[in-house]
Amino acid sequence: MHPRRPEGFDGLGYRGGARDEQGFGGAFPARSFSSGSELGHWVTTPPDIPGSRNLHWGEKSPPYGVHSASTPREGPAEEPFPGSGTGTGTGGAQAQSSEQLNRFAGFGIGLASLFTENVLAHPCIVLRRQCQVNYHARHYHLTPFTVINIMYSLNKTQGPRALWKGMGSTFIVQGVTLGAEGIISEFTPLPREVSHKWNPKQIGEHLLLKSLTYIIAMPFYSASLIETVQSEIIRDNTGILECLKEGIGRVIGLGVPHSKRLLPLLSLIFPTVLHGLLHYVISSIIQKFVLLILKRKTYNSHVVENTSPVQSMLDAYFPELIANFAASLCSDVILYPLETVLHRLHIQGTRTIIDNTDLGYEVLPINTQYEGMKDCINTIRQEEGVLGFYKGFGAVIIQYTLHAAVLQITKMIYSTLLQNSV
């Protein structure tokens, strides 16, 4: 349940109106090696809501085939494409066509990544969450091989819907989170963005805004979690807005059948906010670090040798996606044990029936009696061992392997299309 950042926000850094005053700037400044205008297309949105993230392409198309004004090269200037003179009508038409192709490439690459994260990888998220809350399970599914076997069994016995259940609710949680963050920042002095001239007070206020956003979205996150782990065998045909209905019912205590073991929302605030903030901060740091490395590597390759227009266009978009991929992977792996605890606390007392992840058929009730976060951690460690915190980890491996494969295939396709067009 992590919010989306608006355009102009890059992790804990800032890239708004003062874009050409900074290099990588922000909360973790680094020495700039090129002009700020060269970074205009580096629009980054760290992953926030588990299993669902967003990407935006830049406001301006990045230059390709030509070097930045801040990095002069000896010798005559090179044209982006052969025969593309700036003073002729043919050259202007080619430049306009290249501009459109550039924007189309950025849109298509971002769309492919977004589709992979929110749709194609959703079965991995479903099984991952079911394994996390299944304290009965004898098989922990730490490797992707056993996960694939269970996915096949669930699909065979319940149909494809069993692996894509609750996908609509994840988008609703994203919308609630984004809307709550925008409203709070509009009516309070809490900054939605952190300027490059940041200070500890500004960082604290910004993290407070994130915390309030997580608290508001928390009941809807619980409802979405139930939809993704509830067995399709006993599941009713719920509407797309059922997540909103159950989330509101969780707040007012009406309309949703709960047992006495249900933890009050107040006791869920700390683990929910802790997980959200850690995920946000870790993602921002790793993303900024990877982006810095990739940008330096790209810059050095441009200085050493002439870069083709195709490679320049790919370099404009893929480093951002790779940084986002690395940030998502690292934050999910590091916080996986905490996420397991969080999901068990949210699901307790909701009378949820899940699939038997040992067999791939039959169902199991959730009857845990954790008193809180500390008791949940101690109980898992004593009864299931340390590896009990990593139940379903094989689904994470499949999820990010699939994501990496889609990124690589997309890069190959666009590279071929761009070579044929130039």
Side-chain angles (χ1 to χ4, degrees):
M1 35 174 298
H2 313 281
R4 286 292 183 274
R5 248 80 50 200
E7 181 69 17
F9 182 68
D10 180 6
L12 295 180
Y14 176 78
R15 42 173 193 74
R19 176 177 299 176
D20 31 325
E21 296 178 7
Q22 60 171 6
F24 278 89
F28 305 95
R31 181 177 60 86
S32 175
F33 43 82
S34 60
S35 65
S37 60
E38 188 180 0
L39 302 180
H41 60 277
W42 293 82
V43 184
T44 307
T45 305
D48 289 327
I49 300 178
S52 52
R53 299 155 185 101
N54 198 0
L55 291 175
H56 302 278
W57 56 94
E59 299 173 351
K60 298 186 298 181
S61 298
Y64 55 91
V66 291
H67 297 277
S68 173
S70 61
T71 57
R73 294 172 54 92
E74 296 181 0
E78 299 178 1
E79 295 180 348
F81 295 98
S84 58
T86 57
T88 63
T90 303
Q94 290 180 350
Q96 184 178 5
S97 176
S98 301
E99 180 79 8
Q100 294 176 353
L101 182 62
N102 195 355
R103 292 184 180 277
F104 174 75
F107 174 77
I109 292 170
L111 185 62
S113 180
L114 185 64
F115 174 80
T116 304
E117 293 177 355
N118 291 276
V119 180
L120 202 57
H122 191 76
C124 299
I125 298 170
V126 170
L127 190 61
R128 158 185 172 179
R129 292 181 174 183
Q130 283 193 323
C131 292
Q132 285 178 318
V133 301
N134 187 3
Y135 64 97
H136 300 283
R138 293 171 298 172
H139 301 293
Y140 289 7
H141 300 298
L142 302 176
T143 65
F145 307 105
T146 58
V147 171
I148 294 176
N149 185 36
I150 292 298
M151 283 185 175
Y152 174 78
S153 299
L154 291 175
N155 181 75
K156 183 178 180 180
T157 57
Q158 302 180 32
R161 290 184 58 185
L163 297 177
W164 270 273
K165 56 192 175 185
M167 186 172 63
S169 65
T170 60
F171 289 102
I172 291 178
V173 174
Q174 293 182 41
V176 171
T177 306
L178 184 61
E181 182 178 348
I183 293 175
I184 294 175
S185 63
E186 185 72 22
F187 294 96
T188 65
L190 300 179
R192 196 175 185 181
E193 300 173 343
V194 179
S195 70
H196 63 286
K197 298 180 180 179
W198 62 274
N199 55 66
K201 179 182 178 182
Q202 191 178 43
I203 293 293
E205 290 177 345
H206 177 66
L207 294 181
L208 176 60
L209 172 64
K210 296 295 180 183
S211 302
L212 295 176
T213 303
Y214 301 147
I215 294 174
I216 293 176
M218 180 174 60
F220 305 100
Y221 181 74
S222 295
S224 175
L225 175 63
I226 294 174
E227 288 193 19
T228 55
V229 302
Q230 183 91 305
S231 176
E232 194 70 21
I233 296 177
I234 53 91
R235 179 186 176 89
D236 298 328
N237 292 326
T238 57
I240 192 174
L241 298 180
E242 191 69 19
C243 175
L244 291 175
K245 177 182 176 181
E246 293 188 4
I248 296 175
R250 182 73 180 266
V251 175
I252 63 179
L254 297 175
V256 183
H258 295 146
S259 69
K260 295 181 179 180
R261 298 186 303 273
L262 182 71
L263 294 174
L265 290 177
L266 290 177
S267 63
L268 296 176
I269 290 179
F270 176 74
T272 301
V273 172
L274 177 64
H275 177 268
L277 290 181
L278 289 178
H279 197 285
Y280 172 66
V281 172
I282 292 174
S283 298
S284 300
I285 295 175
I286 294 177
Q287 188 179 45
K288 192 171 289 289
F289 178 72
V290 173
L291 204 57
L292 177 62
I293 294 177
L294 294 177
K295 186 61 179 176
R296 285 184 173 178
K297 182 179 179 181
T298 301
Y299 171 77
N300 291 334
S301 65
H302 286 181
V303 173
V304 173
E305 57 183 8
N306 293 331
T307 305
S308 65
V310 173
Q311 186 61 40
S312 297
M313 187 178 296
L314 294 176
D315 289 343
Y317 295 102
F318 274 96
E320 177 188 343
L321 297 180
I322 294 175
N324 182 73
F325 171 83
S328 302
L329 174 61
C330 293
S331 55
D332 281 352
V333 171
I334 294 173
L335 298 177
Y336 197 88
L338 179 58
E339 185 182 73
T340 299
V341 174
L342 178 66
H343 287 169
R344 293 199 182 188
L345 295 178
H346 273 275
I347 210 73
Q348 176 172 300
T350 58
R351 297 185 179 180
T352 302
I353 306 296
I354 67 172
D355 296 306
N356 189 333
T357 56
D358 287 335
L359 304 175
Y361 56 90
E362 298 182 352
V363 294
L364 296 171
I366 299 296
N367 296 318
T368 56
Q369 298 182 12
Y370 305 122
E371 297 178 359
M373 180 177 176
K374 182 178 180 180
D375 181 55
C376 181
I377 295 175
N378 293 333
T379 302
I380 294 176
R381 185 173 61 247
Q382 294 173 5
E383 297 183 359
E384 304 170 54
V386 176
L387 293 180
F389 294 99
Y390 292 90
K391 283 185 174 180
F393 189 77
V396 176
I397 300 176
I398 296 177
Q399 176 182 345
Y400 284 98
T401 301
L402 183 63
H403 192 184
V406 170
L407 286 180
Q408 186 62 31
I409 293 174
T410 305
K411 184 176 181 179
M412 293 172 58
I413 293 175
Y414 271 92
S415 178
T416 303
L417 293 177
L418 293 174
Q419 286 177 354
N420 294 333
S421 64
V422 297

